[in-house]
Amino acid sequence: MAAPQRANFVNHENEQKRPIKVRGTMNDVLSAMMISQGLFPSGSLLDSLIHISKEVGSMEKFPFLHIRNVSSMTRRIKLLSSLFEEIQETDTPLPPSSILCLTELFSVIRRAKVLIQGCKDGSSLWSLIQLEFISNQFYVLVKEMGRALDILPLSLLNVTSDVREQVELLHKQAKRAEILIDPRELQRREQIIQIMANNSLQNKKNKGFIDFGKVEEILSGIGMRTTSDYDEEISKLEAEAQNQAGTGGLLIVSNINNLISLVSYSKSMIFRDGESDRNEEDCKPLSSFLYNKVHDSSSSSQSMTPNVPDEFRCPISLDLMRDPVIVSSGHTYDRTSIAQWINSGNHTCPKSGQRLIHTALIPNYALKSLVQQWCYDNNVPVHEPKSEGNNNKNSKEEAIDHISANKAAADAVKMTAEFLVGKLATGSADIQRQAAYELRLLAKTGMVNRGVIAEVGAIPFLVTLLGSQDSRIQEHAVTTLFNLSIFDNNKILIMAAGAVDSIVEVLESGKTMEARENAAASIYSLSMVDELKVQIGGRPRAIPALVGLLKEGTPIGKKDAASALFNLAVYNPNKVSVVKAGAVLVLVELLIDDKAGITDDALAVLASLLGCSDGLEEIRNSRALVPLLIDLLRFGSVKGKENSITLLLGLCKEEGEVVARRLLANPRSIPSLQSLAADGSLRARRKADALLRFLNRFCSQPHHSV
């Protein structure tokens, strides 16, 4: 008996028959439907794949770092580009599994493009320090490429033998791939770390002993040869420090600041003899000039109007989005602005240039809630002041605010989903594994798909598969449920199917860490509904399992667990359960652990637990917390500073004398509070003023003078 081909969830005879029914509709409609969910920048699925592959292949120069990873990834994508072009030239119908494979390949290539662009445009020094992390990102993408090719039915595609052999070779290489780390880059990284140690504040007196010849050699090796290069690197490091403020932790921000200090000091020493042919002002990058101009203008008008965060501004009008809506490209605009744009006869997305498949305006409730909270904090009217032009507003909205339903696309998705659910119900373990994986991919591509998959009855079968002894089946099932839960209507269906206990079981003792982390993400998604907070919190093992993942998970898993705990803690009785599960100690340890990367999330959970007497007691007993909070007042993100001062103020109200003495004994606390009272967000300013008044009253008492 001939050995069977790799498990593609279905034998190829059945797959050959299926395209006949949907010839001319399945492929085109699925592609159109996926494009409408914002996956592709323009055109059909194959057009988009060919376009993005050529973009990656035409990048003019490689970065100075990660050359092996970048060149290897580029070579793989160029090879796949030949496959895409040949499939397009044949112009024959595609099996459903090949469409899902190509969709996943598009996702991989898009992320590879972003990663390569980040290596080219980001800080070279920080890229060097992050050598293993970035190399691992390339490795993960190669492995995902291999898994996507697992479901590509090459025998059904009308491609030449040369291309077939190349793709099969690429598939085998991807399956065998290992992490690529250049030994020379690793050596440079170790040398930079040693130099940073010599350049640290603790070794300030020894700065004269730095071998600047060696520094120049290392920096030249990563592309820094002129004063302009040094200034550009400083600008990039400053931007990276801002990015890391809310997630990277204090040590990471401090390390980036040390790198900035090293580059600045090295520049002054290496070019001190006038070796540069341009003065310092000429070498300053344009981004630094624009940054200063923006800050100059914002500071001059700060007293008159609040500084609206960029993410809250409409890309068309640059004004505050009071009613944000999502168009078919996936971008968000203010309703009035995008309505005027479409009514003017435009049928493309203003930001991406992508053609709008439909003109439905979907409310972005998550962003709207954040905007309303910001308006409340900054005393800005939630609704735009009425004007004469508002009379025409409703008529414009009514003219375009409709759903252009693509029935053919929905039918195609339904047909595919029914077929896969049938395989879940009756197939062997191999077929169930492949069907669960393809449902996982299908559930990633948008709300329409998520609704259809639930409609055909997939949820009960997926819940059953959570108890599978096959690690991949379990992982695919829980991830599919997470993707489905993003659609609000599915949340109740998932709960009704009795999924919570099974999800908690996976969270506690899942067979892979990815399965455990996606179980936490599922609980986070489900707990967005108030009544489900009560039901999930009532499971005695749910909250302890989330705290367990806080200890053991990857940074992504820890973030999902912290987000789920924050959601659950909104319901007051759950706060006690969170405290009893030992969350406070773990969260404080995560603030100390700079590799965890969830500073803001940990602070938010701790601040929410202040409203519980048990939580307050646990927080008060943590001796390490107050010094950390003082440091976060200086280095934290905007949200991190708000939560830090919330915690300090809460501690002062309950244990005023002890905390006040510790604050006053720390020389950094008063300047940090004064800075927040002057320049922080409205909420931070109010709380900083209250804390400064408290400390002032404490100092004015004779028996408490410090």
Side-chain angles (χ1 to χ4, degrees):
M1 180 182 296
Q5 297 187 15
R6 64 181 187 277
N8 276 347
F9 80 86
V10 58
N11 64 57
H12 287 165
E13 291 181 2
N14 288 343
E15 244 193 18
Q16 282 175 323
K17 294 175 184 177
R18 290 189 61 79
I20 296 174
K21 287 185 179 182
V22 293
R23 186 181 180 97
T25 60
M26 173 69 86
N27 304 329
D28 297 336
V29 168
L30 269 178
S31 296
M33 177 274 303
M34 292 172 179
I35 293 167
S36 73
Q37 302 300 334
L39 284 180
F40 309 119
S42 62
S44 69
L45 170 56
L46 286 170
D47 286 338
S48 301
L49 282 164
I50 293 168
H51 176 74
I52 196 169
S53 300
K54 287 183 177 179
E55 281 186 336
V56 174
S58 64
M59 289 185 176
E60 292 184 354
K61 62 175 184 177
F62 287 165
F64 284 94
L65 294 167
H66 306 287
I67 295 176
R68 290 178 63 191
N69 279 309
V70 172
S71 60
S72 176
M73 181 61 73
T74 304
R75 177 182 58 80
R76 289 184 169 97
I77 292 172
K78 284 181 178 178
L79 195 153
L80 287 173
S81 181
S82 302
L83 171 67
F84 305 148
E85 290 174 353
E86 215 166 276
I87 293 174
Q88 188 182 53
E89 288 171 3
T90 60
D91 195 24
T92 56
L94 300 176
S97 61
S98 65
I99 295 175
L100 290 170
C101 168
L102 296 177
T103 305
E104 190 67 8
L105 285 175
F106 181 87
S107 173
V108 171
I109 296 171
R110 181 174 57 178
R111 284 181 286 149
K113 177 188 171 185
V114 172
L115 184 57
I116 294 171
Q117 200 67 47
C119 291
K120 289 180 63 178
D121 299 340
S123 160
S124 298
L125 271 175
W126 186 242
S127 182
L128 186 63
I129 297 296
Q130 297 282 87
L131 184 63
E132 284 101 339
F133 176 74
I134 295 174
S135 297
N136 186 65
Q137 286 184 303
F138 278 104
Y139 169 74
V140 168
L141 288 175
V142 172
K143 287 298 183 185
E144 287 189 20
M145 186 181 290
R147 285 198 292 270
L149 290 173
D150 282 344
I151 59 172
L152 180 66
L154 270 174
S155 60
L156 301 182
L157 299 178
N158 187 16
V159 296
T160 62
S161 58
D162 287 345
V163 170
R164 188 189 309 276
E165 289 173 4
Q166 287 178 336
V167 173
E168 288 174 345
L169 180 61
L170 171 62
H171 185 204
K172 291 177 183 177
Q173 290 175 342
K175 303 295 279 188
R176 296 196 306 263
E178 297 180 353
I179 295 180
L180 284 177
I181 299 179
D182 191 323
R184 293 171 299 177
E185 293 177 357
L186 192 60
Q187 182 182 13
R188 285 193 189 115
R189 201 274 302 269
E190 296 305 319
Q191 290 171 336
I192 282 292
I193 290 175
Q194 184 60 47
I195 291 169
M196 283 175 62
N198 294 336
N199 194 49
S200 65
L201 293 175
Q202 289 81 359
N203 294 299
K204 203 167 185 178
K205 294 181 180 178
N206 298 326
K207 281 190 177 179
F209 295 101
I210 294 177
D211 183 353
F212 286 102
K214 187 66 177 176
V215 174
E216 184 176 12
E217 178 186 338
I218 296 170
L219 297 184
S220 176
I222 60 174
M224 296 169 57
R225 298 188 175 94
T226 68
T227 54
S228 175
D229 295 333
Y230 279 67
D231 285 328
E232 187 174 355
E233 180 66 17
I234 291 170
S235 177
K236 291 176 179 178
L237 285 169
E238 288 172 345
E240 187 63 42
Q242 289 292 325
N243 292 337
Q244 294 284 347
T247 57
L250 296 175
L251 183 58
I252 289 180
V253 175
S254 175
N255 285 339
I256 296 175
N257 288 332
N258 284 343
L259 285 172
I260 294 172
S261 172
L262 172 64
V263 176
S264 300
Y265 188 48
S266 300
K267 174 191 166 187
S268 64
M269 298 299 291
I270 293 170
F271 298 102
R272 66 184 183 278
D273 298 327
E275 296 170 38
S276 172
D277 58 349
R278 296 160 59 184
N279 61 41
E280 185 175 348
E281 189 62 33
D282 291 337
C283 293
K284 187 173 292 187
L286 178 61
S287 60
S288 175
F289 171 75
L290 292 174
Y291 177 84
N292 291 331
K293 290 289 285 182
V294 168
H295 277 259
D296 289 343
S297 62
S298 65
S299 62
S300 65
S301 61
Q302 188 174 8
S303 60
M304 294 183 292
T305 58
N307 188 15
V308 179
D310 289 342
E311 59 269 26
F312 294 168
R313 293 181 183 273
C314 174
I316 297 175
S317 66
L318 300 181
D319 292 331
L320 179 66
M321 289 189 285
R322 289 180 167 85
D323 189 5
V325 292
I326 306 170
V327 297
S328 65
S329 66
H331 292 290
T332 297
Y333 301 92
D334 187 72
R335 182 184 294 274
T336 304
S337 298
I338 192 64
Q340 292 174 353
W341 168 267
I342 295 174
N343 272 343
S344 300
N346 298 295
H347 300 289
T348 57
C349 172
K351 196 168 183 180
S352 67
Q354 175 185 340
R355 185 170 182 80
L356 299 176
I357 303 303
H358 59 75
T359 55
L361 302 182
I362 311 301
N364 190 335
Y365 291 116
L367 180 58
K368 188 172 185 178
S369 176
L370 292 172
V371 170
Q372 289 176 344
Q373 182 63 49
W374 180 87
C375 290
Y376 173 77
D377 290 342
N378 292 275
N379 293 326
V380 173
V382 174
H383 301 289
E384 189 174 3
K386 292 187 177 181
S387 64
E388 294 179 3
N390 284 357
N391 294 331
N392 298 325
K393 178 179 171 183
N394 291 335
S395 60
K396 290 179 180 178
E397 291 174 9
E398 290 169 3
I400 64 164
D401 195 7
H402 62 277
I403 301 296
S404 175
N406 191 333
K407 188 176 184 302
D411 289 344
V413 175
K414 187 174 182 179
M415 186 186 305
T416 304
E418 286 175 341
F419 176 66
L420 294 173
V421 171
K423 296 301 176 182
L424 284 185
T426 61
S428 64
D430 287 341
I431 290 176
Q432 284 181 329
R433 184 187 310 114
Q434 201 64 42
Y437 177 61
E438 299 197 21
L439 277 173
R440 171 181 177 173
L441 296 182
L442 197 60
K444 281 173 61 177
T445 54
M447 293 299 180
V448 172
N449 293 14
R450 293 167 188 142
V452 170
I453 292 171
E455 182 185 328
V456 300
I459 290 175
F461 294 106
L462 291 168
V463 172
T464 301
L465 292 180
L466 292 178
S468 172
Q469 295 304 306
D470 185 300
S471 62
R472 302 304 292 176
I473 291 177
Q474 184 187 70
E475 182 182 307
H476 296 329
V478 73
T479 307
T480 305
L481 284 171
F482 164 58
N483 289 336
L484 293 176
S485 71
I486 297 171
F487 184 42
D488 285 344
N489 292 354
N490 288 344
K491 289 178 168 63
I492 303 300
L493 296 176
I494 291 171
M495 294 294 291
V500 172
D501 291 328
S502 299
I503 291 173
V504 170
E505 184 73 33
V506 176
L507 175 61
E508 263 186 331
S509 54
K511 299 187 179 301
T512 67
M513 183 56 72
E514 185 176 350
R516 293 181 63 193
E517 291 173 351
N518 287 336
S522 301
I523 290 178
Y524 163 69
S525 178
L526 293 171
S527 62
M528 300 289 286
V529 179
D530 287 342
E531 63 187 72
L532 301 188
K533 291 178 174 67
V534 181
Q535 295 182 39
I536 296 171
R539 262 65 172 192
R541 295 158 55 200
I543 289 175
L546 288 169
V547 175
L549 187 62
L550 270 182
K551 299 176 185 176
E552 302 164 5
T554 66
I556 292 174
K558 290 176 179 178
K559 187 177 183 67
D560 286 335
S563 300
L565 286 172
F566 179 80
N567 266 3
L568 293 172
V570 171
Y571 178 59
N572 283 326
N574 287 342
K575 288 183 171 69
V576 178
S577 301
V578 173
V579 174
K580 287 183 177 178
V584 172
L585 180 61
V586 178
L587 290 166
V588 173
E589 289 175 351
L590 288 174
L591 290 178
I592 300 172
D593 181 7
D594 294 283
K595 294 180 180 178
I598 61 164
T599 305
D600 283 359
D601 304 274
L603 285 170
V605 179
L606 286 170
S608 72
L609 296 179
L610 281 175
C612 160
S613 57
D614 291 344
L616 180 59
E617 181 67 26
E618 286 287 326
I619 293 170
R620 193 166 52 194
N621 290 337
S622 174
R623 300 290 300 173
L625 184 58
V626 172
L628 280 171
L629 296 177
I630 293 171
D631 283 340
L632 285 165
L633 292 179
R634 301 170 61 209
F635 297 117
S637 66
V638 173
K639 205 67 184 173
K641 290 175 181 178
E642 288 180 1
N643 284 322
S644 297
I645 202 164
T646 298
L647 284 162
L648 287 171
L649 194 56
L651 289 170
C652 282
K653 288 178 179 178
E654 294 297 325
E655 200 177 26
E657 182 174 338
V658 176
V659 177
R661 286 186 179 278
R662 296 179 69 186
L663 281 170
L664 292 168
N666 191 315
R668 298 189 297 273
S669 59
I670 300 300
S672 298
L673 288 171
Q674 290 171 335
S675 175
L676 271 181
D679 303 321
S681 66
L682 182 62
R683 178 180 293 181
R685 291 202 302 271
R686 286 202 307 262
K687 295 189 175 183
D689 284 337
L691 190 51
L692 286 169
R693 287 197 302 272
F694 173 83
L695 294 175
N696 189 44
R697 288 197 304 271
F698 179 80
C699 290
S700 66
Q701 300 173 16
H703 58 290
H704 288 313
S705 59
V706 178

